[in-house]
Amino acid sequence: MVRAWIMDSDSSNQRLPHMTDPPQFIDLDGLKQIGVLYWKLDADNYEKEGLLQKIRDERGYKSSDCITCCPDKLPDYDDKLKMFFTEHLHSDEEIRFIMEGSGYFDVRNPEDKWIRIECVKGDLIIIPAGIYHRFTLDTNDHMKTMRLFADEPVWTPINRPADDHPKRQEYLQSLRQCHTA
Ligand SMILES: CSCCC(=O)/C(O)=C/O
Ligand SMILES: [Fe+2]
């Protein structure tokens, strides 16, 4: 099952877990409260399993592609990983289905602390539009992921600060509504 935790304040080696001592784990409900959604799929049999297609149909994801993050398969590997790890938001959801390997998606919680989400083969994660986040490989240095998109397969990071961005405002409003409901 996916694990998530509040990160420590050590800014060395982004690929290490960076758990606090003792660890402060966040469960699936805690992730859902900040808009992050998660499913576990059978990465070796997902077409037959049918759950991915069901999620695609329900959430209207029209296109997808695959990206393999590793030194010999990702063009401009160093620059891309730097870009992925630069805190940013997107105007759409970020939907990633891990087909091989592993990596960390970090998201900011309402107190602006980093929550590290450990994603491994079979994990499907949806990071909401407007949340500040970043991505890094872990020390295994390999992750193959399917990227799903509501429309054209376009990936545009909007680096922090982007507090006035409409989707950032919309996201913050959704958190307020969640906590007053
Ligand atoms: C492993 S998917 C590449 C990273 C990415 O698309 C993104 O937006 C990270 O936040
Ligand atoms: Fe992103």
Side-chain angles (χ1 to χ4, degrees):
M1 182 50 103
V2 69
R3 294 191 308 167
W5 57 85
I6 300 275
M7 288 183 75
D8 66 14
S9 52
D10 175 358
S11 58
S12 65
N13 194 345
Q14 66 192 56
R15 293 173 182 233
L16 296 176
H18 288 290
M19 283 186 190
T20 55
D21 181 15
Q24 300 170 74
F25 289 111
I26 308 290
D27 63 14
L28 285 183
D29 192 49
L31 291 178
K32 199 171 178 181
Q33 281 178 29
I34 59 173
V36 175
L37 304 177
Y38 169 84
W39 290 265
K40 188 68 175 181
L41 306 181
D42 177 351
D44 296 320
N45 201 17
Y46 64 89
E47 290 103 337
K48 197 152 172 274
E49 181 186 44
L51 181 51
L52 179 65
Q53 191 58 49
K54 181 169 179 289
I55 294 165
R56 290 186 74 144
D57 295 343
E58 283 172 0
R59 300 183 68 90
Y61 300 144
K62 296 187 181 56
S63 61
S64 63
D65 65 8
C66 281
I67 174 174
T68 302
C69 298
C70 66
D72 55 353
K73 288 195 179 156
L74 183 65
D76 307 324
Y77 169 81
D78 289 324
D79 289 346
K80 284 263 179 52
L81 285 190
K82 229 178 253 144
M83 199 165 59
F84 292 154
F85 199 62
T86 300
E87 187 173 356
H88 63 275
L89 59 81
H90 303 287
S91 51
D92 293 308
E93 290 175 329
E94 176 172 310
I95 309 109
R96 300 290 181 267
F97 171 38
I98 315 313
M99 304 175 83
E100 291 170 10
S102 53
Y104 295 124
F105 288 88
D106 299 338
V107 297
R108 286 286 191 186
N109 75 0
E111 293 68 46
D112 217 28
K113 288 184 187 291
W114 280 120
I115 294 178
R116 175 149 283 192
I117 306 168
E118 180 187 58
C119 285
V120 301
K121 180 176 175 179
D123 288 344
L124 171 66
I125 185 170
I126 298 179
I127 292 174
I131 193 171
Y132 285 130
H133 67 281
R134 63 189 184 188
F135 169 80
T136 180
L137 288 172
D138 56 27
T139 51
N140 296 315
D141 207 17
H142 175 84
M143 188 173 95
K144 178 182 177 184
T145 181
M146 182 191 289
R147 302 187 305 180
L148 295 101
F149 303 90
D151 292 303
E152 290 312 306
V154 174
W155 180 76
T156 313
I158 301 158
N159 292 346
R160 188 172 189 176
D163 297 340
D164 296 334
H165 191 285
K167 286 296 183 180
R168 178 70 186 160
Q169 292 302 315
E170 241 177 78
Y171 172 69
L172 294 175
Q173 179 57 21
S174 72
L175 292 183
R176 285 189 286 270
Q177 280 160 355
C178 241
H179 286 86
T180 49

